[in-house]
Amino acid sequence: MPPTQKKIMLSAVQPSHLLTLGNYLGALRNWVKLQDDYTCLFFAVDLHALTVKQDPKKLREQTYLALATYIATGIRPETATLFIQSHVPEHAELAWILNCFIYMGELSRMTQFKEKSARQGQAISAGLLTYPALMASDILLYQTHLVPVGEDQKQHIEITRDIAIRMNHIYEVSLFTVPEIYTPPVGARIMSLQNPMCKMSKSDPDSNSAIYLTDTNDQILKKLKKAVTDSGSEITLDDQKPGIQNLLQIQAALSEKTPSEIVSEHTGKQYGHLKIKTAEKIIETIGPIRDRTLELMTHKDYLHSIFQAGAKHARERAQKTLAHVYDQVGLIKGRY
Ligand code: AQP
């Protein structure tokens, strides 16, 4: 199909810390698999990252790193539009309008808000609460058809759909395409290696809880050996064994097999064997991505040229939607 007739697929990652194996299996890998069937926009959501405390120097470096990782994973910059969220000011502009159409009750019910605000204690930023408005803006600006994400982001896409339907209804015009969600059958929720009841997260302060996409082979092996399991020894798919289930999920996702097939491959083996095999599988996949990412990080001018071209292209699309929204909600067109 010629690119102009393809549907739009869009997704992003917050450069709030180093990207994890969860980000890879839940998101990035699926972007690569689906990229040929869609017109794609992928970006680093640096404005979202500001909803939790950031070191400015690290944030800049992590933003480069996120985009380098996209390319290293297999996203083709020749066909996909790659950019940085803050380089397209329309994201923040539309987010303001959407903020006026989302209800406080909807925002305060979001699981991510509840979990992250509990960690922030008394000083909870308003940005953390209104995060879904900015995310809805990211998606709706481009008339997106499909958003591939991990399980944890499903709720934010659902609220995006609700806002799109609500505003299309209020103004009796198609302001926004209502996006569909894509989550992978295996790997949509990778759990922490240290607490398998919580999801693996970039911002978890315990670095042993996550495999970062820049970890060395040695670090990966050590983290897997330290992974929390339980006191048993039989490898089975059992809700009472969340640590073992997580390792089986990781191996299954990386091998394109089902978790039950992985169980069969480990019949009669001990937990230690499963940990080593899982580490080997991660190294096999992540090793080349890490090496390519670090190589790309030595060519910042190249990376910069890609996001500059990407932002220019993204703005052309974003401006059309924003102008239509401004007009429909009753703002006077500027004449500058
Ligand atoms: N553990 C996970 N398993 C599967 N998918 C995951 N994703 C995140 N964690 C997992 C998916 O990765 C994409 C990018 O996520 P994000 O950067 O927008 O933020 P997040 O969902 O809040 O991810 P993190 O790693 O937990 O970041 P922090 O710690 O900064 O909040 C999304 O598609 C997400 O579903």
Side-chain angles (χ1 to χ4, degrees):
M1 214 189 267
T4 45
Q5 286 172 25
K6 287 182 180 174
K7 290 189 170 177
I8 310 277
M9 175 168 80
L10 166 152
S11 201
V13 173
Q14 295 185 71
S16 42
H17 198 275
L18 301 172
L19 270 58
T20 70
L21 181 67
N23 299 137
Y24 173 72
L25 290 174
L28 263 65
R29 187 173 74 147
N30 309 304
W31 306 356
V32 176
K33 284 187 186 168
L34 296 166
Q35 69 179 332
D36 288 336
D37 299 332
Y38 291 85
T39 293
C40 299
L41 295 115
F42 300 118
F43 48 112
V45 285
D46 52 349
L47 296 175
H48 278 286
L50 294 176
T51 55
V52 293
K53 197 165 170 244
Q54 295 294 336
D55 170 334
K57 220 170 142 190
K58 279 193 185 160
L59 177 59
R60 267 189 280 276
E61 198 62 10
Q62 285 158 196
T63 305
Y64 275 109
L65 203 51
L67 285 148
T69 308
Y70 295 180
I71 300 171
T73 307
I75 296 296
R76 281 191 303 278
E78 309 80 41
T79 49
T81 300
L82 297 181
F83 64 101
I84 297 173
Q85 183 189 33
S86 62
H87 291 186
V88 181
E90 288 75 12
H91 287 246
E93 292 178 71
L94 180 63
W96 173 256
I97 306 276
L98 301 184
N99 258 315
C100 300
F101 291 83
I102 303 188
Y103 307 127
M104 286 294 289
E106 289 174 318
L107 292 173
S108 55
R109 275 199 295 276
M110 294 291 112
T111 308
Q112 178 178 281
F113 171 70
K114 286 193 216 158
E115 287 177 0
K116 288 194 175 171
S117 58
R119 270 185 255 151
Q120 283 189 3
Q122 294 298 312
I124 300 164
S125 77
L128 199 59
L129 180 71
T130 59
Y131 181 112
L134 182 56
M135 183 158 163
S137 166
D138 296 339
I139 297 168
L140 300 179
L141 263 181
Y142 299 98
Q143 307 295 340
T144 304
H145 297 94
L146 189 73
V147 192
V149 285
E151 191 82 35
D152 64 314
Q153 289 294 339
K154 262 179 144 174
Q155 212 183 17
H156 290 157
I157 314 284
E158 276 152 17
I159 200 171
T160 299
R161 288 171 54 86
D162 291 345
I163 300 164
I165 294 167
R166 183 175 304 157
M167 290 187 70
N168 287 349
H169 179 73
I170 292 173
Y171 294 100
E172 295 178 349
V173 61
S174 175
L175 278 178
F176 304 120
T177 301
V178 181
E180 298 294 330
I181 308 169
Y182 172 90
T183 48
V186 187
R189 190 172 177 82
I190 301 299
M191 308 309 276
S192 154
L193 296 179
Q194 288 302 307
N195 177 2
M197 302 308 283
C198 295
K199 81 165 186 126
M200 184 182 284
S201 241
K202 300 178 212 95
S203 51
D204 191 320
D206 180 355
S207 62
N208 283 322
S209 70
I211 300 291
Y212 303 118
L213 300 182
T214 42
D215 277 349
T216 61
N217 294 352
D218 201 36
Q219 282 171 321
I220 296 172
L221 189 59
K222 280 195 182 131
K223 287 183 185 184
L224 262 293
K225 283 187 179 167
K226 284 189 192 156
V228 168
T229 49
D230 58 79
S231 54
S233 64
E234 200 191 345
I235 299 167
T236 51
L237 261 180
D238 180 346
D239 286 347
Q240 302 304 313
K241 297 181 172 191
I244 293 297
Q245 272 216 11
N246 193 32
L247 300 187
L248 292 168
Q249 286 280 338
I250 292 173
Q251 253 203 69
L254 289 169
S255 322
E256 306 279 358
K257 291 182 182 167
T258 63
S260 321
E261 285 174 301
I262 304 295
V263 171
S264 313
E265 288 174 11
H266 289 81
T267 314
K269 299 280 186 347
Q270 304 283 307
Y271 287 176
H273 181 81
L274 178 67
K275 288 181 174 186
I276 304 278
K277 285 287 162 200
T278 308
E280 285 172 0
K281 198 73 213 167
I282 297 172
I283 290 168
E284 190 186 308
T285 309
I286 298 311
I289 295 176
R290 171 198 61 219
D291 297 346
R292 176 82 179 119
T293 303
L294 298 179
E295 223 283 295
L296 283 164
M297 286 296 281
T298 63
H299 299 284
K300 292 238 174 77
D301 285 352
Y302 165 72
L303 293 175
H304 217 88
S305 68
I306 288 177
F307 341 133
Q308 250 177 341
K312 190 167 174 285
H313 185 237
R315 283 202 81 179
E316 283 163 16
R317 287 179 178 267
Q319 278 168 350
K320 282 190 196 140
T321 301
L322 190 67
H324 190 203
V325 173
Y326 273 14
D327 183 47
Q328 289 295 318
V329 301
L331 305 186
I332 295 175
K333 248 184 214 145
R335 296 180 193 194
Y336 308 107

